[in-house]
Coordinates of all heavy atoms in Angstrom, one line a residue:
K315 N -4.7 -18.5 1.5 CA -3.7 -18.8 0.5 C -4.1 -18.4 -0.9 O -5.4 -18.4 -1.3 CB -3.4 -20.4 0.5 CG -3.0 -20.9 1.8 CD -1.6 -20.5 2.2 CE -1.3 -21.1 3.5 NZ 0.0 -20.6 4.0
A316 N -3.1 -18.2 -1.8 CA -3.4 -17.8 -3.2 C -2.1 -17.9 -4.0 O -1.1 -18.2 -3.4 CB -3.8 -16.3 -3.2
I317 N -2.2 -17.7 -5.3 CA -0.9 -17.7 -6.1 C -0.9 -16.4 -6.9 O -1.9 -16.0 -7.4 CB -0.8 -18.9 -7.0 CG1 0.6 -19.0 -7.6 CG2 -1.9 -19.1 -8.0 CD1 0.9 -20.3 -8.3
P318 N 0.2 -15.7 -6.8 CA 0.3 -14.4 -7.5 C 0.2 -14.5 -9.0 O 0.4 -15.5 -9.6 CB 1.6 -13.8 -7.1 CG 2.4 -14.9 -6.6 CD 1.5 -16.0 -6.1
V319 N -0.1 -13.4 -9.7 CA -0.2 -13.4 -11.1 C 1.1 -13.6 -11.8 O 2.2 -13.2 -11.2 CB -0.8 -12.0 -11.6 CG1 0.1 -10.8 -11.4 CG2 -1.3 -12.2 -13.0
H320 N 1.1 -14.4 -12.8 CA 2.4 -14.7 -13.5 C 2.0 -15.0 -15.0 O 0.9 -15.1 -15.4 CB 3.2 -15.8 -12.9 CG 2.4 -17.1 -12.7 ND1 1.5 -17.3 -11.7 CD2 2.4 -18.3 -13.3 CE1 0.9 -18.4 -11.7 NE2 1.5 -19.1 -12.7
S321 N 3.1 -15.1 -15.8 CA 3.0 -15.4 -17.3 C 2.3 -14.3 -18.0 O 2.1 -13.2 -17.5 CB 2.1 -16.7 -17.5 OG 2.9 -17.8 -17.0
G322 N 2.0 -14.5 -19.3 CA 1.5 -13.5 -20.2 C 2.5 -13.5 -21.4 O 3.7 -13.7 -21.3
A323 N 1.9 -13.2 -22.6 CA 2.7 -13.3 -23.8 C 3.8 -12.3 -23.8 O 4.8 -12.5 -24.5 CB 1.8 -13.1 -25.1
H324 N 3.7 -11.2 -23.0 CA 4.7 -10.2 -23.0 C 6.1 -10.8 -22.6 O 7.1 -10.2 -22.9 CB 4.3 -9.0 -22.1 CG 4.3 -9.4 -20.6 ND1 3.2 -10.0 -20.1 CD2 5.2 -9.3 -19.7 CE1 3.4 -10.3 -18.8 NE2 4.6 -9.9 -18.5
E325 N 6.0 -11.9 -21.8 CA 7.3 -12.5 -21.3 C 8.0 -13.2 -22.5 O 9.3 -13.3 -22.4 CB 7.0 -13.5 -20.2 CG 6.6 -12.9 -18.9 CD 6.4 -13.8 -17.8 OE1 6.2 -15.0 -18.1 OE2 6.4 -13.4 -16.6
G326 N 7.3 -13.7 -23.4 CA 7.9 -14.3 -24.6 C 8.7 -15.6 -24.3 O 9.6 -15.9 -25.0
T327 N 8.3 -16.3 -23.3 CA 9.0 -17.6 -23.0 C 8.8 -18.6 -24.0 O 7.7 -18.7 -24.7 CB 8.6 -18.1 -21.6 OG1 7.2 -18.5 -21.8 CG2 8.8 -17.2 -20.5
Q328 N 9.8 -19.5 -24.3 CA 9.7 -20.6 -25.2 C 8.8 -21.7 -24.6 O 8.0 -22.2 -25.3 CB 11.1 -21.2 -25.4 CG 12.1 -20.3 -26.0 CD 11.8 -20.0 -27.5 OE1 10.9 -20.5 -28.1 NE2 12.7 -19.1 -28.1
R329 N 9.0 -21.9 -23.3 CA 8.2 -23.0 -22.7 C 6.7 -22.9 -22.7 O 6.0 -23.9 -23.0 CB 8.7 -23.2 -21.3 CG 8.5 -24.6 -20.7 CD 9.1 -24.7 -19.3 NE 9.1 -26.1 -18.8 CZ 10.2 -26.9 -18.9 NH1 11.3 -26.5 -19.3 NH2 10.1 -28.1 -18.4
G330 N 6.3 -21.6 -22.5 CA 4.8 -21.5 -22.4 C 4.2 -20.9 -23.7 O 3.0 -20.6 -23.7
H331 N 5.0 -20.8 -24.8 CA 4.5 -20.0 -25.9 C 3.3 -20.5 -26.6 O 3.0 -21.7 -26.5 CB 5.7 -19.8 -26.9 CG 5.8 -21.0 -27.8 ND1 6.9 -21.8 -27.7 CD2 5.0 -21.5 -28.8 CE1 6.7 -22.8 -28.6 NE2 5.6 -22.6 -29.3
Y332 N 2.5 -19.6 -27.2 CA 1.3 -19.9 -28.0 C 1.6 -19.6 -29.4 O 2.1 -18.4 -29.7 CB 0.2 -19.0 -27.5 CG -1.0 -19.2 -28.4 CD1 -1.9 -20.3 -28.2 CD2 -1.2 -18.4 -29.5 CE1 -3.0 -20.4 -29.1 CE2 -2.2 -18.5 -30.4 CZ -3.1 -19.6 -30.2 OH -4.1 -19.8 -31.1
R333 N 1.4 -20.5 -30.3 CA 1.6 -20.2 -31.7 C 0.5 -21.0 -32.5 O 0.3 -22.2 -32.3 CB 3.0 -20.6 -32.2 CG 3.4 -20.1 -33.6 CD 4.9 -20.0 -33.8 NE 5.5 -21.3 -33.5 CZ 5.7 -22.2 -34.5 NH1 5.3 -22.0 -35.7 NH2 6.3 -23.3 -34.2
Y334 N 0.0 -20.3 -33.6 CA -0.9 -21.0 -34.5 C -0.4 -20.6 -35.9 O -0.2 -19.4 -36.2 CB -2.3 -20.5 -34.4 CG -3.3 -21.2 -35.3 CD1 -3.9 -22.4 -34.9 CD2 -3.7 -20.7 -36.5 CE1 -4.8 -23.1 -35.7 CE2 -4.6 -21.3 -37.3 CZ -5.1 -22.5 -36.9 OH -6.0 -23.2 -37.7
Q335 N 0.0 -21.6 -36.7 CA 0.6 -21.3 -38.0 C 0.2 -22.4 -39.0 O 0.2 -23.6 -38.7 CB 2.2 -21.3 -37.8 CG 2.9 -20.7 -38.9 CD 4.4 -20.7 -38.6 OE1 4.8 -20.5 -37.5 NE2 5.2 -20.8 -39.6
N336 N -0.1 -22.0 -40.2 CA -0.4 -22.9 -41.3 C -1.5 -23.9 -40.8 O -1.5 -25.1 -41.1 CB 0.8 -23.8 -41.8 CG 1.8 -22.9 -42.4 OD1 1.5 -21.8 -42.9 ND2 3.1 -23.3 -42.5
G337 N -2.5 -23.3 -40.2 CA -3.7 -24.1 -39.8 C -3.4 -25.1 -38.7 O -4.3 -26.0 -38.3
K338 N -2.3 -24.9 -37.9 CA -2.0 -25.9 -36.8 C -1.6 -25.1 -35.6 O -0.9 -24.1 -35.6 CB -0.9 -26.8 -37.2 CG -1.3 -27.8 -38.2 CD -0.2 -28.7 -38.5 CE -0.5 -29.7 -39.7 NZ 0.7 -30.3 -40.2
F339 N -1.9 -25.7 -34.4 CA -1.4 -25.2 -33.1 C -0.1 -25.7 -32.9 O 0.2 -26.9 -33.1 CB -2.4 -25.6 -32.0 CG -3.7 -24.9 -32.0 CD1 -4.8 -25.5 -32.7 CD2 -4.0 -23.7 -31.4 CE1 -6.1 -25.0 -32.7 CE2 -5.2 -23.1 -31.4 CZ -6.2 -23.7 -32.1
H340 N 0.8 -24.9 -32.3 CA 2.2 -25.3 -31.8 C 2.4 -24.6 -30.5 O 3.0 -23.6 -30.5 CB 3.2 -24.9 -32.8 CG 3.0 -25.3 -34.2 ND1 3.5 -26.5 -34.7 CD2 2.4 -24.7 -35.2 CE1 3.2 -26.6 -36.0 NE2 2.4 -25.6 -36.3

Side-chain angles (χ1 to χ4, degrees):
K315 306 287 179 186
I317 188 166
V319 70
H320 52 284
S321 294
H324 68 277
E325 290 185 338
T327 62
Q328 299 289 358
R329 203 173 188 103
H331 80 253
Y332 172 85
R333 187 160 60 90
Y334 185 84
Q335 193 174 330
N336 292 337
K338 288 181 186 164
F339 291 92
H340 304 271

